[in-house]
């Protein structure tokens, strides 16, 4: 038996499938066999990696070569030249940067970028997500076997606590502590929920895990269930994520078939099973108590807390709710130990963070980097700089519920505590990078418009406050703002934070606070001088105008 020397992957997203990915795959199979290379070259389908009409793609590792718009007719030449003779077929090769940046990490493999440290996305794009065997040969279900055979539930919780893992759903709550709360809560019946609603605009990190490595989530949820004493779990997936839902369903069926879900897992007396619940597009249903209401069949409105889900969650039973990315760290921590995990990232925020990079940069897409990297590094190294040499003005983190980060915080380490100390929030991992053409008043208006629509309406500060803030911002952009708007926006920001029932209302005021704290002169120019310095707002075109600090 020869060693595998090369791995060939064929993209299998819907566009690729429509453009004949399966025929390309079959032709590759046939040609690899014809050249007697089938023991040296592994061939798999992978999930969505491209977006720009260059599908289907054929990716060759370890060379990190990508061929685009491949047809079955191209295959004999590619196999003979590249896989047999080792010469890249340049006329079919495309750059990773042609692919909206989503495979920029391929270049990292060749050393042109500092390599990402992949834990959460370890398997994504490298294994066939529809084949449990591929997951298993890549260390899959080893961690589950280890906890069930060698560890007690409390040792499992201690391992997660010692690792310092913190929730990646936005708040950064210590994961092991949450597990301990659920474990210690009274009650025979307990649940584990994976929050895969991912409704933050511009965020698609969880989707990639669900589509590209669904068994990781099953394995992590089963470990969590063992640790806290649950026997039933739900994965609440954003309804628009059709491919993720179908891959998750398939993975659950395979895990059941292999005895990795269901009764007496690994021959032990531990039993656990999973259900999928698709969301219906409401942003608020990502909030854990609204999500629980939604699973129960009620209107997705947040509950008042306490009690917290850890003691009274789904059907009033103790319930563990964790984000997809949080869970995706769990098997690796169990396999490699907490010390290994703590060696990555910063002391108070160990591990990596997955970011979706969007906006005015040269390379957009998904990266997984150690906690503590700075925004400047993300922009210069991974996003390949600002688009067309433009100047960085601000970043908006977290989709809608994060912060507006000014250039003065570009060198602040991106970890939970450093950002908290700087008065900003990391959010869930979307990074919208904006250049000087973006107007902060317009940006805040877009965000408040989102919150205005997505407020569930249960409490007044959020239902009315978001509407009033949006109206004030609209007036300002139309040139009819009044000086007192500055105080009113600050007051609304404070009241949203202090009086709202849930995180949606509490964070909705952040854009107001941030633009007043960091870009006050620009807001004042709109109100007092009736000038939009960037020329974005409806009231004015760009005028030759210089304001301090802009
Ligand atoms: C309005 C709103 C939307 C949220 N959306 C999500 C979401 O889509 N995914 C998620 O994991 N957490 C979301 N959260 C946070 C969850 O309430 C919860 O804190 C999280 O799922 C806990 O998981 P973690 O401890 O692993 O971070 C949202 C919170 C709020 C207030
Ligand atoms: S803060 Fe907003 S979203 Fe949250 S419960 Fe109140 S109205 Fe609903």
């Amino acid at each position: 038996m020869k060693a595998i020397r090369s791995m060939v992957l064929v993209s299998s997203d819907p566009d690729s499938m429509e453009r004949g990915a399966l025929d390309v795959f079959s032709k590759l199979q046939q040609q690899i066999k014809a050249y007697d290379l089938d023991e040296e070259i592994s061939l798999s389908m992978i999930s969505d990696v491209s977006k720009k009409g260059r599908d289907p793609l054929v990716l060759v590792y370890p060379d990190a070569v990508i061929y685009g718009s491949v047809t079955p007719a191209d295959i004999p030449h590619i196999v003979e030249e590249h896989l047999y003779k080792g010469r890249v077929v340049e006329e079919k090769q495309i750059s990773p940067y042609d692919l909206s940046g989503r495979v920029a990490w391929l270049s990292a493999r060749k050393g042109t970028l500092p390599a990402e440290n992949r834990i959460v996305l370890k398997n994504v794009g490298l294994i066939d997500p529809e084949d449990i065997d591929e997951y298993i040969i890549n260390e899959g279900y080893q961690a589950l076997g280890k906890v069930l055979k060698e560890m007690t539930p409390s040792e499992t919780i201690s391992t997660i606590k010692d690792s310092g893992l913190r929730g990646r759903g936005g708040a950064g709550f210590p994961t092991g502590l949450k597990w301990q709360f659920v474990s210690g809560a009274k009650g025979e019946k307990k649940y584990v929920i994976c929050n895969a609603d991912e409704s933050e605009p511009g965020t698609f990190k969880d989707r990639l895990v669900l589509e590209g490595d669904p068994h990781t989530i099953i394995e992590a949820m089963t470990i969590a269930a063992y640790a806290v004493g649950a026997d039933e779990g739900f994965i609440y997936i954003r309804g628009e994520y059709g491919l993720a839902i179908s891959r998750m369903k398939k993975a659950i069926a395979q895990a059941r078939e292999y005895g990795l879900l269901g009764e007496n897992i690994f021959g032990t007396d531990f039993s656990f099973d999973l259900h999928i619940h698709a969301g219906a597009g409401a942003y608020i249903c990502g909030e854990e108590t609204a999500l629980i209401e939604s699973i129960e069949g009620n209107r997705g409105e947040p509950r008042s807390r306490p009690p917290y889900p850890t003691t009274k969650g789904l059907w009033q039973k103790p319930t563990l709710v964790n984000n997809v990315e949080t869970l995706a760290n769990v098997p690796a921590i169990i396999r490699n130990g907490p010390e290994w995990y703590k060696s990555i990232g910063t002391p108070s925020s160990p591990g990596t963070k997955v970011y979706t990079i969007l906006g005015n940069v040269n390379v957009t897409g998904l990266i997984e980097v150690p906690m503590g990297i700075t925004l400047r590094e993300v922009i210069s190294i991974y996003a390949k700089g600002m688009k067309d040499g433009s100047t960085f003005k601000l970043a908006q983190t977290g989709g809608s519920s994060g912060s507006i980060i000014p250039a003065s915080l570009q060198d602040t380490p991106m970890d939970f505590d450093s950002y908290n100390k700087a008065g900003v929030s990391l959010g869930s991992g979307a990074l919208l990078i904006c250049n000087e053409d973006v107007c902060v008043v317009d940006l805040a208006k877009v965000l408040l418009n989102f919150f205005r629509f997505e407020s569930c309406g249960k409490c007044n500060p959020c239902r009315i406050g978001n509407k009033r803030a949006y109206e004030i911002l609209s007036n300002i952009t139309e040139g009819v703002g009044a000086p007192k708007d500055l105080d009113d926006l600050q007051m609304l920001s404070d009241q949203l934070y202090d009086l709202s029932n849930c995180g949606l209302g509490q964070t909705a005021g952040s854009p107001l606070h941030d633009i007043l704290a960091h870009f006050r002169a620009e807001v004042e120019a709109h109100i007092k001088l009736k000038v939009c310095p960037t020329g974005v707002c409806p009231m004015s075109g760009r005028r030759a105008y210089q304001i301090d600090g802009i």
Side-chain angles (χ1 to χ4, degrees):
M1 177 100 181
K2 292 178 192 160
I4 296 286
R5 65 168 168 84
S6 203
M7 187 157 59
V8 178
L9 307 165
V10 181
S11 59
S12 68
D13 51 283
D15 284 348
S16 297
M17 296 301 263
E18 207 170 284
R19 295 190 181 132
L22 279 180
D23 294 338
V24 168
F25 185 84
S26 317
K27 193 75 186 171
L28 269 165
Q29 250 175 343
Q30 187 201 66
Q31 288 294 303
I32 287 172
K33 206 168 175 47
Y35 280 84
D36 201 19
L37 295 172
D38 41 349
E39 282 186 5
E40 294 171 51
I41 293 176
S42 85
L43 176 66
S44 313
M45 302 290 278
I46 52 159
S47 59
D48 185 8
V49 287
S50 103
K51 270 271 177 262
K52 279 202 175 164
R54 310 294 297 270
D55 316 292
L57 304 178
V58 172
L59 299 86
V60 183
Y61 288 97
D63 321 29
V65 168
I66 310 169
Y67 294 116
S69 308
V70 181
T71 66
D74 299 321
I75 297 301
H77 190 50
I78 290 176
V79 171
E80 182 180 344
E81 282 298 299
H82 191 157
L83 303 181
Y84 190 64
K85 296 181 179 165
R87 293 190 293 236
V88 173
V89 180
E90 283 176 7
E91 63 272 23
K92 293 300 294 182
Q93 189 183 8
I94 56 173
S95 154
Y97 304 117
D98 290 344
L99 301 171
S100 68
R102 293 182 67 187
V103 287
W105 53 273
L106 280 169
S107 299
R109 307 237 151 194
K110 285 190 96 175
T112 54
L113 295 176
E116 293 175 43
N117 206 338
R118 293 193 158 217
I119 300 170
V120 172
L121 303 175
K122 167 180 169 281
N123 288 330
V124 175
L126 295 178
I127 65 167
D128 178 354
E130 302 201 358
D131 185 349
I132 187 170
D133 292 335
E134 288 210 15
Y135 181 68
I136 289 171
I137 55 172
N138 283 286
E139 305 177 302
Y141 290 106
Q142 271 180 20
L144 178 62
K146 184 172 171 183
V147 298
L148 293 186
K149 297 282 189 185
E150 297 168 22
M151 295 166 74
T152 62
S154 70
E155 283 168 349
T156 309
I157 292 175
S158 297
T159 303
I160 298 301
K161 270 174 86 175
D162 292 347
S163 75
L165 174 64
R166 295 172 67 168
R168 305 298 201 246
F173 191 83
T175 305
L177 196 59
K178 198 189 271 190
W179 289 25
Q180 188 182 322
F181 290 155
V182 180
S183 158
K186 288 198 182 77
E188 284 296 297
K189 180 78 186 176
K190 295 178 184 175
Y191 294 100
V192 170
I193 295 176
C194 170
N195 189 342
D197 194 46
E198 195 162 59
S199 46
E200 284 288 0
T203 315
F204 51 86
K205 67 183 180 73
D206 293 346
R207 190 187 113 207
L208 267 277
V209 177
L210 299 163
E211 286 179 2
D213 197 13
H215 284 284
T216 293
I217 299 305
I218 297 175
E219 182 176 12
M221 288 182 76
T222 313
I223 292 168
Y226 172 71
V228 304
D231 66 355
E232 202 174 351
F234 286 82
I235 307 177
Y236 189 98
I237 307 190
R238 183 185 173 127
E240 292 90 331
Y241 283 1
L243 186 61
I245 292 172
S246 77
R247 292 227 163 118
M248 234 30 258
K249 280 185 180 161
K250 203 164 186 171
I252 288 173
Q254 289 173 349
R256 282 193 191 124
E257 198 186 315
Y258 275 52
L260 297 165
L261 274 179
E263 300 289 319
N264 305 113
I265 298 171
F266 272 110
T268 65
D269 58 5
F270 171 67
S271 302
F272 176 68
D273 213 345
L274 271 176
H275 315 278
I276 289 179
H277 190 106
Y283 172 60
I284 192 58
C285 285
E287 195 282 335
E288 57 188 11
T289 59
L291 179 155
I292 286 170
E293 287 290 318
S294 171
I295 293 180
E296 289 183 9
N298 304 322
R299 189 183 161 122
E301 279 182 356
R303 295 175 179 171
S304 299
R305 298 184 290 179
Y308 291 91
T310 46
T311 49
K312 281 185 194 284
L314 189 59
W315 291 295
Q316 299 300 312
K317 307 293 182 205
T319 302
L320 175 71
V321 184
N322 272 138
N323 167 259
V324 170
E325 185 186 346
T326 313
L327 288 165
N329 282 284
V330 167
I333 293 172
I334 300 286
R335 277 196 314 270
N336 303 311
E339 292 309 316
W340 163 80
Y341 193 71
K342 279 194 291 195
S343 70
I344 304 158
T346 64
S348 67
S349 303
T352 59
K353 181 79 197 80
V354 183
Y355 294 106
T356 47
I357 307 177
L358 316 149
N360 310 124
V361 285
N362 287 319
V363 177
T364 57
L366 201 79
I367 55 167
E368 179 176 356
V369 286
M371 280 278 190
I373 194 167
T374 65
L375 201 46
R376 191 188 298 278
E377 286 167 327
V378 168
I379 295 169
S380 60
I381 298 172
Y382 298 99
K384 287 277 170 193
M386 298 298 295
K387 210 168 188 93
D388 305 325
S390 57
T391 306
F392 172 77
K393 178 173 181 178
L394 61 92
Q396 205 269 327
T397 59
S400 51
S401 63
S403 294
I404 295 176
I405 316 281
S408 58
L409 295 179
Q410 260 186 107
D411 296 310
T412 305
M414 294 171 73
D415 62 69
F416 293 115
D417 291 351
S418 304
Y419 260 39
N420 279 349
K421 220 180 278 171
V424 288
S425 141
L426 208 51
S428 61
L431 282 179
L432 174 66
I433 316 279
C434 301
N435 65 17
E436 69 280 1
D437 289 337
V438 170
C439 167
V440 293
V441 183
D442 181 65
L443 176 63
K445 187 173 85 169
V446 169
L447 294 169
L448 267 294
N449 193 33
F450 174 78
F451 288 125
R452 176 172 76 115
F453 278 110
E454 295 295 340
S455 166
C456 81
K458 181 174 170 174
C459 59
N460 291 351
C462 172
R463 186 181 69 245
I464 301 168
N466 280 313
K467 188 169 183 309
R468 282 297 299 131
Y470 173 76
E471 287 163 2
I472 292 172
L473 291 167
S474 293
N475 285 342
I476 295 175
T477 62
E478 279 157 25
V480 289
K484 86 183 245 307
D485 290 345
L486 292 164
D487 290 341
D488 286 352
L489 288 176
Q490 187 59 59
M491 181 193 67
L492 283 166
S493 167
D494 295 343
Q495 291 185 346
L496 277 162
Y497 182 76
D498 291 336
L499 305 175
S500 295
N501 176 46
C502 85
L504 187 150
Q506 285 156 11
T507 52
S510 301
L512 308 177
H513 167 273
D514 295 343
I515 62 169
L516 293 174
H518 304 300
F519 299 94
R520 197 175 180 95
E522 187 176 338
V523 184
E524 283 181 351
H526 283 73
I527 295 173
K528 297 181 181 162
L529 305 171
K530 309 297 177 203
V531 166
C532 172
T534 56
V536 168
C537 291
M539 68 176 169
S540 65
R542 187 196 295 264
R543 295 192 201 165
Y545 189 78
Q546 183 62 46
I547 298 172
D548 284 351
I550 299 176

